C-alpha cells in the first residue's frame, strides 16, 4: 500500500521503518521541510516529502504528531478522499500539550482529534512505547506476542489498521468504537503495559474513566522526576503498578 506518515518522531519514524520493511511505499513528513528529515527517510526506507505530499495519492495516512497540533492539519486533510484510512497514534498529556477543556471533561482523545481534523479516524499504536514498537514485535504464532488495541467506527478502515498493526509484529485487538477509545488512553491498564491478547482484553474491561487522568498525571510526575532515566522494562512495570 501507499502510506503517508505525518510526524517523524519516535513512533512515526519507527512505523515508517517497519512498514517499509514489509513492502509498503512510505512517504514521511514533519512540521518543517523534507530536507530536514532526508537522512532519516533514507535510513528507514521512506521518501521525505511535505505534509501536503504525504496525504496525496495514498491509501492510508498515519498521524503521529503532538496532540495539540492536530487542528493545524484540518486544511491539509480537507481534500483527502473519504476512502483513505486515517490513523491517529497520539496521546494527550496536559503537562506537554496544554489543557484542552473538552478532553479534560471526558471527551475521548481521538473523538476530539477527529473533530479537529474534520474526518473519521482509527486509533492505533497509541498504547505502546516507542522502544516496544521498535524491538518487541514477534511472529504471529508466538504465545507471548504483545497485543495492541485498535478502535474505530468504520469496519473496513479498522480492518486495514488491524492488518498493519499485525505486520508491525503485534496482535491487533478490535477495542470498540471511537467513543470507547478512552479505554486505551494514558492512565489505563491497557496503556503501554505490554500485555498478551487475553491480558489486554481484561485490561480494557478494567479501565476506569475517572481514575485514568489521575493515573496519567501521577505517572508523568514519576517519569519526569529529576535524574529519572528508566528502561523500557521499568516504564512498563510502573505503568502496570500504577494503573492496576
Amino acid at each position: 500500500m501507499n502510506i503517508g506518515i505525518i510526524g517523524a518522531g519516535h513512533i512515526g519514524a519507527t512505523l515508517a521503518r517497519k512498514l517499509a520493511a514489509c513492502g509498503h511505499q512510505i512517504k514521511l513528513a514533519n512540521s518543517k521541510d523534507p530536507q530536514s528529515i532526508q537522512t532519516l527517510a533514507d535510513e528507514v526506507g521512506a521518501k521525505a516529502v511535505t505534509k501536503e505530499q504525504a496525504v496525496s495519492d495514498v491509501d492510508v495516512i498515519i498521524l503521529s504528531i503532538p496532540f495539540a497540533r492536530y487542528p493545524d492539519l484540518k486544511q491539509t486533510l480537507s481534500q483527502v478522499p473519504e476512502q483513505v484510512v486515517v490513523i491517529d497514534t497520539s496521546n494527550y498529556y496536559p503537562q506537554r500539550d496544554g489543557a484542552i477543556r473538552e478532553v479534560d471533561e471526558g471527551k475521548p482523545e481521538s473523538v476530539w482529534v477527529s473533530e479537529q481534523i474534520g474526518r473519521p479516524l482509527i486509533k492505533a499504536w497509541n498504547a505502546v512505547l516507542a522502544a516496544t514498537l521498535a524491538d518487541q514485535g514477534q511472529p504471529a504464532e508466538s504465545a507471548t506476542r504483545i497485543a495492541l488495541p485498535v478502535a474505530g467506527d468504520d469496519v473496513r478502515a479498522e480492518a486495514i489498521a488491524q492488518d498493519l498493526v499485525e505486520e508491525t509484529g503485534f496482535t491487533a485487538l478490535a477495542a470498540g468504537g471511537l467513543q470507547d477509545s478512552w479505554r486505551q488512553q494514558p492512565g489505563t491498564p491497557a496503556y503501554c503495559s505490554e500485555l498478551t491478547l487475553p491480558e489486554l482484553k481484561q485490561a480494557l474491561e478494567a479501565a476506569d474513566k475517572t481514575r485514568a487522568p489521575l493515573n496519567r498525571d501521577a505517572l508523568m510526575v514519576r517519569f519526569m522526576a529529576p535524574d529519572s532515566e528508566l528502561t523500557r522494562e521499568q516504564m512498563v512495570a510502573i505503568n502496570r503498578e500504577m494503573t492496576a
Side-chain angles (χ1 to χ4, degrees):
M1 285 193 296
N2 294 316
I3 301 175
I5 300 177
I6 299 180
H10 294 307
I11 296 293
T14 300
L15 287 173
R17 177 183 284 107
K18 300 195 85 166
L19 294 173
C22 292
H24 298 289
Q25 302 301 308
I26 308 297
K27 294 191 286 187
L28 183 63
N30 66 357
S31 61
K32 299 177 183 177
D33 59 74
Q35 202 60 35
S36 67
I37 55 169
Q38 186 63 61
T39 300
L40 172 63
D42 292 342
E43 177 189 335
V44 303
K47 180 180 180 181
V49 297
T50 64
K51 63 181 185 295
E52 290 78 16
Q53 292 170 326
V55 304
S56 176
D57 297 319
V58 292
D59 305 297
V60 175
I61 298 168
I62 299 173
L63 306 177
S64 190
I65 66 174
F67 191 81
R69 299 294 301 275
Y70 276 94
D72 299 342
L73 288 181
K74 186 170 186 177
Q75 181 60 38
T76 302
L77 296 167
S78 63
Q79 301 303 314
V80 173
E82 289 184 7
Q83 70 269 20
V84 175
V85 178
V86 180
I87 302 175
D88 169 31
T89 74
S90 69
N91 294 294
Y92 170 57
Y93 284 96
Q95 301 92 331
R96 177 196 65 190
D97 302 311
I100 298 174
R101 181 181 56 80
E102 292 172 283
V103 181
D104 289 338
E105 292 176 352
K107 180 172 287 188
E109 294 172 4
S110 284
V111 172
W112 183 85
V113 171
S114 179
E115 292 172 352
Q116 302 312 303
I117 65 175
R119 61 177 299 128
L121 49 77
I122 304 297
K123 190 176 188 73
W125 289 300
N126 77 294
V128 61
L129 295 172
T132 305
L133 179 61
D135 301 324
Q136 301 303 309
Q138 298 181 42
E141 62 273 13
S142 173
T144 59
R145 197 185 202 209
I146 296 168
L148 300 179
V150 179
D153 300 321
D154 182 288
V155 174
R156 181 192 71 89
E158 188 175 10
I160 290 172
Q162 289 177 28
D163 287 345
L164 292 174
V165 168
E166 294 277 348
E167 288 189 58
T168 58
F170 302 87
T171 298
L173 171 62
L178 215 58
Q179 284 288 349
D180 297 318
S181 63
W182 64 267
R183 294 181 179 274
Q184 65 197 72
Q185 291 177 183
T188 64
Y191 183 76
C192 295
S193 45
E194 295 190 2
L195 304 176
T196 62
L197 183 59
E199 292 170 334
L200 180 59
K201 290 178 179 179
Q202 293 178 355
L204 289 168
E205 285 295 321
D208 184 320
K209 196 170 186 178
T210 301
R211 282 187 56 201
L214 303 176
N215 291 341
R216 175 201 65 205
D217 294 346
L219 282 162
M220 180 62 82
V221 170
R222 188 156 176 183
F223 289 149
M224 298 302 291
D227 302 321
S228 177
E229 292 189 12
L230 301 171
T231 65
R232 188 198 95 249
E233 293 85 354
Q234 289 171 323
M235 293 181 72
V236 169
I238 292 170
N239 276 325
R240 289 184 178 185
E241 170 197 344
M242 295 184 67
T243 62

